[in-house]
Amino acid sequence: MKIQSIRGMNDLLPEQSATWQYLERTVAELLASYSYGEIRFPILEQTELFKRAVGEVTDIVEKEMYSFDDRNGDSLSLRPEGTAGCVRACTENGLLHNQTQRLWYTGPMFRHERPQKGRLRQFHQVGVEAFGLTGPDIDAELLLITARLWKILKIDHAVTLQINSLGTSADRADYRAALVEYLNARRDQLDEDSQRRLETNPMRILDSKNPDTQALLNSAPSLEDFIDQESRDHFQQLCAMLDAANISYEVNPRLVRGLDYYGKTVFEWVTTNLGAQGTVCAGGRYDGLVEQLGGKPCPGVGFAMGVERLVLLLDELGAVPDSVDQAVDLYLLAVGNVEQQALVLAENLRSDCPNIRLECHCGGGSFKSQIKRADKSGARIALILGEDEVASGTVGVKYLREDRPQKTVAQSELSGLLGS
Ligand code: ATP
Ligand code: MG
């Protein structure tokens, strides 16, 4: 029996990786231009880190983590998100001591969810975090980065920004109590999932996709009314900054996010082009998290983008530029007993034209079979090296995509000719 991959954990084939590389390259360049530095930290951490950061009674920790005991009997987990590990790494390496940090990372995350379009068990995020800054200006900066990214990727028409303020944890505790009181009195009108959440994480009911629940929430207490003045001011200033920068947004008072560490600002970029999995980027402020994980108090704010969902969106919108195509420029045929000379010619060409993409035929075969391969490679030009060419120091140049006559040129002139 063949061994199969794990459900919800996909292979990425070369054909698709071109789009991934385009996205990763674009993001990396953009973040560098805003002075964000890349940080890398392990995929495995102590389970306790995620329990403390994400929260014991969140879906992620309760149901979705890949946790196991290692050979020493320590409980480890594959990271379900990046912020916890990022904070851990920053604290451990003294990065948060009396300084600000603007950081980003990318890589796989793991959640045992029900696999479907845009929802996987191994998925990938680009995460961005800023530490040491309390004001709404840095919240705005993060949103400006994302807005600019959508523009560069030409998907800005397909995503909208939702923002909300969660206030302080005391505000949320008061609100939670009021919400629970309201919903408890209407318990029988809730579906099973929301009834369960009423006990564990009642604010997540605000997220419910059930239209009856949403209708019920219309007359429920609103989080807005429980937010303290400082959070209110912070939020108002953020909105003013977004207005000034011409970023459209929608205030969604029911936006709560599924991780416990958020306070004050939260946001999501959503699209209607991907069905139910419409959130392509989400984040918010987490001023208490560093301390909660044992560091000195240090404010933080960040977001994570779902790479798979962005790739799906790019494909759906036909927004991947043609230049992302990975086809080679040249395919060098080695016809006859000339493999050695072909390899040397190819190496010389690579030295003379460092940007050229050249595939060298290996494995011999007839001219006919080699030219077929050349065509399949997508190359614009086939270079033909046979025993005659080797003897005369020349090479045949055959245009595969244009109606131009084949010609013979001196090998020494080849690098000058390429590009024309
Ligand atoms: P959702 O509501 O879609 O489950 P979430 O609130 O669990 O998202 P976050 O933990 O904030 O998501 O992660 C940030 C982003 O990572 C999401 O907006 C989404 O784009 C992506 N993401 C999260 N979980 C998955 C998954 N299982 N598969 C693919 N992408 C995911
Ligand atoms: Mg989720």
Side-chain angles (χ1 to χ4, degrees), residues 76-127:
L76 307 182
S77 296
L78 287 167
R79 63 184 186 193
E81 58 97 60
T83 307
C86 184
V87 168
R88 202 255 329 119
C90 286
T91 315
E92 200 167 318
N93 293 285
L95 262 53
L96 304 183
H97 190 66
N98 288 334
Q99 52 193 320
T100 60
Q101 292 290 346
R102 286 175 160 91
L103 302 169
W104 71 277
Y105 49 83
T106 183
M109 307 291 163
F110 302 84
R111 297 184 195 175
H112 196 274
E113 305 195 71
R114 194 167 65 80
Q116 51 199 291
K117 182 182 173 191
R119 192 174 295 288
L120 295 152
R121 291 182 172 173
Q122 173 172 328
F123 63 101
H124 297 75
Q125 289 184 336
V126 174

Side-chain angles (χ1 to χ4, degrees), residues 280-331:
V280 292
C281 173
R285 183 162 275 284
Y286 48 82
D287 291 342
L289 182 62
V290 176
E291 193 179 8
Q292 205 175 306
L293 294 179
K296 288 228 183 71
C298 177
V301 55
F303 65 78
M305 311 187 252
V307 177
E308 282 81 0
R309 290 185 197 178
L310 284 171
V311 168
L312 279 172
L313 188 58
L314 284 168
D315 284 340
E316 193 112 337
L317 299 173
V320 184
D322 290 342
S323 56
V324 156
D325 172 24
Q326 276 184 322
V328 291
D329 304 309
L330 304 171
Y331 192 99

